Amino acid sequence: MNDLPQPDLVLIPGLWLPAEIWQPVVTELAAVGVAAHPVELPGQGASPPDALLDDQLAAVLEVVDGLERPIVVGHSAASGLAWLVADRRPDAITAVVLIGGFPPSDGAVYADFIEPRDGVVGFPGWEPFEGPDADDLDQQQRAHIEELAVPVSAGVTKAPVRLGDRRRHDVPVVLVCPEFSPGEAQAWIDAGDLPELAAAKNLQLLDLRSGHWPMVSCPADLLRGIDRA
């Protein structure tokens, strides 16, 4: 990390994962004197198991509100949570970092990827992620993710996203491109597929040669990239 004072980082885990998934990143940051705050999300390692998206947002905002202009980092589907923070606290954060995920538009469903069973969405195993998503994970890393994974409430995945403050577009955004390239991301933006990113006034696309879980497979590379951005 560079020699300038570093804001604290608020780390939001993606679907199925508790705050513990960020431990390699927390360790790397502690070595350079940067404070990190992994968020334990209701329904993903914290009670209640039938949490709503609003409950998860409240948990993140509680952490953000106790810090001085932190950087908010969201992984995968939790890129949407990070963007909700930008909408609710545009003047209170330094930047948003989105890792392998995109901010949803107002009214979109938060994470409608897998149909719930009995009110929850369980980790589907590795078959849907074979290829660029998971090629960089060894068997031990895969086993670690599987061991940590918990079902997510349909009250989270099926919730509509509500955005209302246009000042969110003033918040600097870093889109970390792991299993896809910055060129692919830019093409999606240009095609109108990612309107929230198209409206961002300060957007950087960061190339990271990894899979979908760089906080597990290459935490030091991830942090060096964020620091450069």
Side-chain angles (χ1 to χ4, degrees), residues 4-219:
L4 297 175
Q6 297 290 332
D8 289 11
L9 270 67
V10 176
L11 306 173
I12 314 174
L15 290 184
W16 308 301
L17 296 173
E20 186 180 343
I21 197 67
W22 291 106
Q23 189 55 49
V25 171
V26 173
T27 300
E28 292 282 345
L29 287 169
V32 293
V34 177
H37 306 268
V39 182
E40 201 73 80
L41 296 174
Q44 289 179 215
S47 296
D50 58 347
L52 304 176
L53 181 60
D54 283 347
D55 297 322
Q56 293 199 343
L57 177 57
V60 181
L61 290 176
E62 182 177 2
V63 176
V64 168
D65 289 344
L67 301 172
E68 182 68 27
R69 294 185 57 79
I71 294 172
V72 179
V73 181
H75 171 245
S76 191
S79 296
L81 262 179
W83 197 238
L84 282 166
V85 173
D87 182 74
R88 304 305 196 268
R89 301 289 192 274
D91 297 327
I93 61 177
T94 292
V96 168
V97 177
L98 312 177
I99 302 173
F102 310 105
S105 300
D106 180 56
V109 178
Y110 177 68
D112 197 17
F113 312 133
I114 301 172
E115 197 61 28
R117 289 188 177 183
D118 300 322
V120 297
V121 176
F123 180 66
W126 292 107
E127 185 176 352
F129 304 111
E130 292 301 345
D133 282 348
D135 279 348
D136 66 333
L137 294 172
D138 61 30
Q139 290 304 314
Q140 184 177 0
Q141 291 166 337
R142 290 185 181 213
H144 177 62
I145 292 172
E146 285 186 72
E147 182 181 359
L148 291 181
V150 293
V152 181
S153 167
V156 172
T157 64
K158 290 288 191 179
V161 172
R162 298 301 180 197
L163 301 169
D165 194 330
R166 293 183 180 179
R167 292 179 299 160
R168 67 185 180 275
H169 297 133
D170 298 327
V171 177
V173 182
V174 176
L175 174 64
V176 178
C177 305
E179 71 271 20
F180 53 87
S181 71
E184 289 174 307
Q186 189 62 59
W188 299 329
I189 293 169
D190 294 343
D193 297 331
L194 301 171
E196 288 296 312
L197 292 184
K201 297 176 182 178
N202 184 346
L203 171 65
Q204 294 188 58
L205 305 181
L206 174 63
D207 193 18
L208 183 66
R209 304 296 176 88
S210 77
H212 191 63
W213 289 270
M215 74 284 289
V216 174
S217 63
C218 56

